Amino acid sequence: MQNFIEISDISKTYWSADGKTETKVVLPLSMTVAEGEMVMFLGPSGCGKTTLMRMVGGLETPEAGTIALRGERLAGPDRRRGMVFQSYSSFPWLTVRDNIRFGTRYRRDLSKAEKDEITDHYLQMVGLGRYRNFYTNRISGGMRQRVAIARTLASSPDVLLMDEPFGALDAQTREFLQFQLMDINTREKKTTIFVTHDVEEAILLANRIVIFSSRPARVIREIDVDALIPAEDRRAGTADMPTFFDLRAEILKIIREEYKHSLEDA
Amino acid sequence: MPQSLFAFRKSLDRRTEMVLGVLGFILFLSAWHLTAVSGAIRPEFLPTPLAVAEAFVRLFTERGFAEDIVISVGRVWFAFLLSVAVAVPLGLYMSTYRVVGAILEPFIDFVRYLPVPALVPLLVIWFGVGEASKIAVLWMGTFFQLILLIADDTKRVPAEYVEAGHTLGASNGEIMRHIIIPAALPNMIDNLRITLGWCWTYLIIAEIVAANSGIGHVIWSLRRFVKTPEVMAGIIAIGIIGLLTDQAFRYAHRRAFAYLRK
Ligand SMILES: Nc1ncnc2c1ncn2[C@@H]1O[C@H](COP(=O)(O)OP(=O)(O)OP(=O)(O)O)[C@@H](O)[C@H]1O
Ligand SMILES: [Mg+2]
């Protein structure tokens, strides 16, 4: 597969306010993501996953190194990389439908009718047709996150960046949205980087899992989940259970070890 | 249902709020009336509410008070809008480009702490005793407060909204127009309402010091003849105008920002 996203030797250091203490968050790190691939980031808390993802999104500037999309070097944020935040970033002054339509607002190539069509398409896809005219502070957290996902998809990004998007949701809503995301992914083959702390979520959604070390983030393990458990089986709920649980146990062990390291360092 | 009236941190319906608001006025007027007729305070100092009401009518029929009101309201709104027209864009720039904030903030803080009444003599020297000096007093009193309030409202817009805008393909100008302003607008309008209230304080100061028209001038000139009922009627007129303006602002706020309704 072609290198759709190419991360080359990027690093990031944060400095304390007085400029005296440095926090190395990402040491020179390289990674590639193929077109249409769903990559799940796992790693101990505070290791730099959010920082790495924000650099890919152009919301944080790497200290050194480059990030390229289709061979083109990226700088600041733009419509090619859509971001779904953990906190609900839908706009309270717009209705559900207008929030989703906002995603199409800066697509200059589309006519008004096409924008409406796309809006309604994603409105239906996330199952919020009935709530189209509700303001987003009148709907539940899970619905708000669906609005944010639909809005991002409506903007038609090349890459979808999701930072613990289901982290704050209850188990049922989370499961529902995971399956919805799988559906979307089968249909649209959207290249996605997804940060999570939930190992089962990672196994369920991943083509590939990347596990990071404690800060500064290094890739300590990559797992080709597709090769172990076929995606169709995971979607259909017919995955081989022993394989699933072995994989889960293995990943948890790696992260647990890394977490201990991070405590020893502190 | 007394229980629901005292529901902890809950809202009441609009009708109940209205009735309670009127009740507050009735209680105040009753207490005033009883104190006045008890004879504890001489009527030159505390006339009855009825005497003040009569004076209120006399102000309009005998002294052309309506014209003074129009003049005062005109001064307040002219200065207020002039202040808004400059403070809103500057406040937006201050909170968007740190360089503008870094230049303006210390200076604004300095001016903000100067008591406006102390500036009146200077402003009269500069602008004379005509309309310009009154507008200048009001403008000085509100502009430097308003600009900081607007800048704060804008700064409080969540970073996620702005970042979402960037990743949806909006330019900086579009983020300002389509995200930051709509997000900050309800708080901005509230701050405009509060600032307009301050305008009245400075207006009366300006009209007492140097004017031959306006509500402040009328109140101040009647004082010389110890026409307590008329003086009180003039003060009450300011209260009524303030109340009406405030309610109009709140009504418009509720209509424009329906999504904030609980
Ligand atoms: N703006 C910032 N200024 C200074 N330090 C920061 C900043 N943002 C993050 N950090 C530090 O960088 C490190 C990595 O943070 P980051 O949010 O990327 O971790 P994470 O892997 O996403 O953690 P979590 O899983 O808890 O979300 C942390 O130690 C954090 O304290
Ligand atoms: Mg994070």
Side-chain angles (χ1 to χ4, degrees):
Chain A
M1 278 195 280
Q2 169 209 358
N3 288 339
F4 190 63
I5 304 174
E6 177 134 27
I7 299 170
S8 320
D9 295 317
I10 56 167
S11 56
K12 181 81 187 177
T13 306
Y14 285 117
W15 291 88
S16 60
D18 58 8
K20 284 186 187 139
T21 337
E22 58 169 12
T23 312
K24 289 199 165 66
V25 182
V26 180
L27 284 181
L29 181 148
S30 298
M31 184 189 300
T32 61
V33 178
E35 179 154 23
E37 195 181 17
M38 177 94 157
V39 181
M40 307 293 290
F41 281 4
L42 281 172
S45 177
C47 75
K49 302 179 296 294
T50 297
T51 307
L52 183 57
M53 172 166 282
R54 286 174 59 82
M55 287 195 284
V56 175
L59 297 172
E60 211 80 60
T61 319
E63 194 176 357
T66 60
I67 300 169
L69 179 69
R70 288 199 181 95
E72 188 190 332
R73 193 175 161 175
L74 297 171
D78 57 40
R79 201 162 58 76
R80 286 176 291 179
R81 289 146 295 156
M83 189 83 131
V84 178
F85 301 85
Q86 179 174 8
S87 61
Y88 312 121
S89 62
S90 60
F91 302 137
W93 63 92
L94 297 178
T95 61
V96 166
R97 187 175 186 279
D98 288 343
N99 260 286
I100 298 174
R101 201 177 192 285
F102 199 95
T104 67
R105 188 161 190 175
Y106 306 107
R107 294 178 64 180
R108 330 267 171 204
D109 49 321
L110 300 178
S111 70
K112 206 175 160 303
E114 285 170 317
K115 288 181 180 180
D116 283 327
E117 195 181 312
I118 290 166
T119 303
D120 290 325
H121 170 73
Y122 286 109
L123 187 65
Q124 297 307 325
M125 179 184 281
V126 295
L128 288 174
R130 216 170 78 71
Y131 296 92
R132 56 195 300 134
N133 293 324
F134 278 57
Y135 287 110
T136 54
N137 51 5
R138 296 280 185 296
I139 59 178
S140 72
M143 292 181 190
R144 255 180 260 180
Q145 203 56 319
R146 279 189 267 167
V147 171
I149 293 170
R151 184 180 67 187
T152 307
L153 288 171
S155 76
S156 180
D158 294 334
V159 183
L160 198 54
L161 303 171
M162 307 179 94
D163 191 0
E164 302 187 43
F166 310 147
L169 303 177
D170 64 280
Q172 285 76 37
T173 309
R174 179 191 301 216
E175 190 182 65
F176 173 72
L177 289 185
Q178 284 165 352
F179 276 90
Q180 233 169 16
L181 189 65
M182 274 199 283
D183 264 2
I184 293 170
N185 215 32
T186 349
R187 228 174 307 175
E188 310 214 346
K189 274 276 157 218
K190 190 69 78 188
T191 311
T192 306
I193 300 178
F194 189 118
V195 175
T196 182
H197 279 288
D198 181 338
V199 175
E200 288 174 23
E201 179 171 77
I203 299 174
L204 185 69
L205 296 174
N207 294 121
R208 176 161 56 118
I209 291 176
V210 176
I211 306 175
F212 290 97
S213 67
S214 54
R215 187 174 59 77
R218 276 176 300 112
V219 178
I220 48 171
R221 188 67 193 278
E222 290 194 58
I223 300 167
D224 183 352
V225 184
D226 279 345
L228 296 172
I229 315 171
E232 306 81 66
D233 292 355
R234 278 176 277 155
R235 258 196 303 283
T238 56
D240 182 49
M241 279 301 132
T243 321
F244 184 93
F245 284 116
D246 284 351
L247 184 56
R248 178 172 169 269
E250 185 188 345
I251 295 171
L252 281 172
K253 184 156 172 279
I254 298 171
I255 298 175
R256 205 172 295 131
E257 286 301 314
E258 274 310 315
Y259 190 71
K260 269 192 226 148
H261 285 312
S262 71
L263 294 183
E264 282 158 17
D265 290 349
Chain B
M1 284 173 288
Q3 199 158 17
S4 66
L5 274 184
F6 287 93
F8 191 66
R9 293 185 66 108
K10 293 286 185 308
S11 52
L12 294 170
D13 66 78
R14 299 233 17 95
R15 271 185 66 96
T16 317
E17 293 232 357
M18 289 268 276
V19 171
L20 291 174
V22 172
L23 194 68
F25 270 105
I26 292 175
L27 280 175
F28 169 71
L29 288 173
S30 313
W32 172 8
H33 179 77
L34 290 176
T35 317
V37 295
S38 73
I41 301 171
R42 299 219 321 260
E44 298 94 277
F45 294 118
L46 189 71
T48 62
L50 193 65
V52 173
E54 282 163 6
F56 194 78
V57 175
R58 273 203 304 279
L59 278 181
F60 282 94
T61 52
E62 290 167 22
R63 291 197 51 115
F65 194 46
E67 201 180 314
D68 292 291
I69 288 180
V70 170
I71 289 169
S72 289
V73 171
R75 282 172 186 156
V76 163
W77 274 92
F78 186 81
F80 173 69
L81 291 178
L82 206 62
S83 179
V84 170
V86 192
V88 170
L90 264 184
L92 290 176
Y93 272 108
M94 256 176 76
S95 59
T96 311
Y97 298 106
R98 198 47 222 148
V99 55
V100 183
I103 293 171
L104 291 181
E105 265 163 27
F107 174 71
I108 290 174
D109 267 335
F110 164 73
V111 181
R112 212 160 59 93
Y113 278 98
L114 302 177
V116 174
L119 297 175
V120 174
L122 182 64
L123 293 171
V124 171
I125 292 172
W126 282 350
F127 296 106
V129 289
E131 288 306 309
S133 63
K134 279 156 219 95
I135 302 299
V137 171
L138 296 191
W139 193 85
M140 286 296 291
T142 52
F143 173 76
F144 294 97
Q145 312 283 342
L146 189 57
I147 190 170
L148 288 188
L149 291 172
I150 296 290
D152 274 348
D153 290 337
T154 331
K155 270 185 217 150
R156 271 198 296 272
V157 173
E160 280 93 355
Y161 291 1
V162 176
E163 292 182 341
H166 280 299
T167 58
L168 294 174
S171 67
N172 289 342
E174 285 163 340
I175 287 176
M176 182 57 95
R177 290 195 308 280
H178 302 157
I179 296 175
I180 294 178
I181 292 177
L185 203 56
N187 286 335
M188 284 192 198
I189 300 291
D190 256 337
N191 279 326
L192 293 190
R193 177 174 64 81
I194 292 163
T195 316
L196 183 61
W198 298 342
C199 265
W200 280 95
T201 312
Y202 299 125
L203 172 84
I204 303 307
I205 293 170
E207 287 182 344
I208 284 176
V209 175
N212 40 33
S213 60
I215 302 175
H217 166 75
V218 170
I219 295 174
W220 196 242
S221 39
L222 287 165
R223 165 206 60 106
R224 268 181 285 153
F225 311 105
V226 202
K227 296 206 167 191
T228 316
E230 272 83 353
V231 169
M232 288 179 79
I235 295 169
I236 286 169
I238 299 172
I240 292 173
I241 296 168
L243 182 68
L244 291 178
T245 320
D246 213 75
Q247 290 298 320
F249 254 96
R250 285 175 194 274
Y251 177 77
H253 198 281
R254 275 197 302 275
R255 291 303 297 267
F257 309 116
Y259 68 90
L260 294 174
R261 218 173 293 160
K262 286 271 154 45

